[in-house]
């Protein structure tokens, strides 16, 4: 990797503290705005879902049973191409972050992956890349399409609430809306050079590369965490 020589200007401690305090005011304002957005999210209405049947590791399972007794469910709809050696690098890298999800038990919630691919392929890929989450397939239902993640057309996050046998959809996002769930970008954005992607507003001379070019791809994930 080429050495980056661009550096922020060097100033005295007082000047640095003044600049930091100014930034901190904006950061605190953003935190309060995120709190307000979360409050609005808690007040969203919801829509009843059909009685979908997904395919899990042990066979067919109703959507209501994917909750595994819990009342709330987060679903990551993983992009999928049947028969491909490597699935979407963004989805693979994003979901590989979630290795400790037991804390959701205290919130009566679960987080799983659903893909439109065949369950046998999905489970084999899960093991290949070392993913730790529970995977389900919607290949035999319209679930993916009905939650804005149709076959071959995208990814997304959906949240559901279960009331007895009935399931309701409460929230959805896709694209950059998923970034708030990722610790990767949060950490990278703290760095002086940031993500180093061409679309970003950075000082002149900062290292910049095409979008996605620095992302960890599926083969890299498999090499680091996979079983083979």
């Amino acid at each position: 990797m080429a050495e980056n020589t661009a550096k922020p200007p060097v100033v005295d401690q007082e000047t640095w503290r003044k600049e930091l305090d100014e930034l901190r005011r904006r950061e605190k304002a953003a935190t309060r705005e995120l709190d307000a957005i979360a409050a609005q999210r808690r007040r969203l209405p919801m829509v009843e879902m059909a009685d979908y049947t997904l395919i899990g590791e042990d066979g067919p399972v109703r959507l209501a049973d994917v909750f595994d007794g819990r009342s709330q469910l987060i679903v990551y709809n993983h992009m999928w191409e049947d028969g491909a050696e490597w699935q979407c690098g963004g989805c693979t890298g994003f979901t590989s972050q979630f290795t400790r999800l037991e804390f959701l038990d205290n919130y009566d919630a679960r987080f799983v992956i659903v893909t439109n691919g065949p369950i046998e392929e999905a489970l084999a890929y899960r093991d290949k890349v070392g993913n730790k989450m529970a995977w389900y397939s919607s290949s035999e239902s319209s679930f993916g399409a009905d939650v804005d993640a149709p076959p071959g057309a995208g990814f997304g996050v959906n949240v559901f609430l279960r009331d007895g046998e009935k399931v309701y959809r409460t929230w959805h996002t896709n694209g950059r809306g998923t970034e708030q769930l990722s610790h990767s970008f949060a950490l990278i954005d703290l760095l002086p050079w940031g993500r180093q992607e061409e679309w970003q507003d950075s000082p002149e001379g900062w290292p910049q590369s095409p979008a996605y070019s620095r992302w960890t791809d599926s083969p890299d994930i498999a090499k680091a965490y996979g079983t083979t």
Side-chain angles (χ1 to χ4, degrees):
M1 183 177 296
E3 181 181 359
N4 292 323
T5 59
K7 296 179 177 63
V10 177
V11 296
D12 60 78
Q13 177 76 10
E14 182 180 355
T15 301
W16 178 81
R17 179 65 64 181
K18 180 180 178 181
E19 294 281 351
L20 178 63
D21 288 346
E22 180 61 33
L23 177 61
R24 185 61 44 78
R25 281 191 283 273
R26 296 189 64 185
E27 290 174 340
K28 293 296 185 182
T31 298
R32 289 190 292 271
E33 176 63 12
L34 288 174
D35 288 342
I37 290 171
Q40 183 176 351
R41 186 182 297 118
R42 290 190 293 271
R43 288 166 172 79
L44 281 176
M46 59 187 184
V47 61
E48 186 174 351
M49 302 293 291
D51 187 16
Y52 295 98
T53 296
L54 305 180
I55 312 298
E57 195 162 8
D58 298 321
V61 56
R62 294 175 60 215
L63 177 60
D65 294 327
V66 174
F67 286 73
D68 197 23
R70 299 161 180 85
S71 298
Q72 301 169 105
L73 179 70
I74 304 169
V75 171
Y76 184 85
N77 294 92
H78 197 296
M79 290 182 68
W80 192 265
E81 181 182 351
D82 289 353
E85 179 181 7
W86 299 108
Q87 300 298 334
C88 169
C91 291
T92 303
F94 178 84
T95 56
S96 70
Q97 301 174 90
F98 302 109
T99 59
R100 296 179 61 248
L101 292 170
E102 66 278 357
F103 66 91
L104 288 174
D105 292 342
N106 294 334
Y107 295 88
D108 194 18
R110 192 183 188 205
F111 186 14
V112 304
I113 290 176
V114 174
T115 178
N116 292 304
I119 189 61
E120 295 81 7
E121 284 190 26
L123 295 176
Y125 186 73
R126 178 197 65 182
D127 295 341
K128 180 179 180 179
V129 298
N131 190 283
K132 303 301 182 184
M133 297 176 67
W135 285 54
Y136 295 87
S137 168
S138 58
S139 60
E140 298 181 20
S141 78
S142 63
F143 176 78
D146 294 344
V147 296
D148 300 298
F155 66 97
V157 174
N158 284 278
V159 181
F160 304 93
L161 180 68
R162 181 179 64 85
D163 183 11
E165 296 298 304
K166 292 185 177 181
V167 175
Y168 301 88
R169 188 185 188 194
T170 65
W171 187 74
H172 165 261
T173 194
N174 55 21
R176 293 194 64 198
T178 62
E179 286 186 10
Q180 64 181 293
L181 309 178
S182 168
H183 68 254
S184 298
F185 291 128
L187 289 175
I188 295 168
D189 284 342
L190 295 178
L191 301 173
W193 292 323
R195 303 185 198 184
Q196 303 176 48
E197 296 194 2
E198 292 173 339
W199 63 271
Q200 289 194 295
D201 181 359
S202 296
E204 187 171 349
W206 251 228
Q208 290 185 300
S209 306
Y212 317 128
S213 62
R214 294 178 181 269
W215 288 23
T216 303
D217 205 356
S218 301
D220 305 311
I221 298 295
K223 183 178 180 180
Y225 304 106
T227 56
T228 58

